[in-house]
């Protein structure tokens, strides 16, 4: 008698897991990129110097 309870179809399962992993990684990268793009970064000394030069 054959035990079919513990057998998994490996073809479709690994492909689906791969696609979902890549989709999740792409979405995570998009969220991190968006949060970095909208973050208020501290002003550096070079930018302060440029503003002083431009305003004169």
């Amino acid at each position: 008698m054959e035990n079919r309870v513990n057998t998994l179809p490996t073809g479709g399962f690994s492909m689906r897991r791969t696609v979902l992993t890549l989709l999740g990684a792409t979405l995570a990268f998009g969220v991190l990129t968006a949060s970095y793009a909208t973050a208020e970064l501290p002003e550096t000394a070079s930018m302060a110097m440029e503003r002083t030069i431009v305003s004169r």
Side-chain angles (χ1 to χ4, degrees), residues 1-55:
M1 188 180 213
E2 206 175 310
N3 187 4
R4 293 183 177 255
V5 174
N6 293 331
T7 59
L8 292 172
T10 57
F13 179 70
S14 63
M15 183 62 152
R16 180 176 59 185
R17 185 172 54 181
T18 302
V19 169
L20 289 176
T21 302
L22 289 174
L23 180 63
T26 304
L27 288 175
F29 181 75
V31 168
L32 288 174
T33 303
S35 67
Y36 181 76
T38 58
E40 294 184 18
L41 300 175
E43 190 173 303
T44 60
S46 64
M47 288 186 72
M49 190 64 122
E50 286 179 21
R51 285 187 181 172
T52 306
I53 293 171
V54 170
S55 64

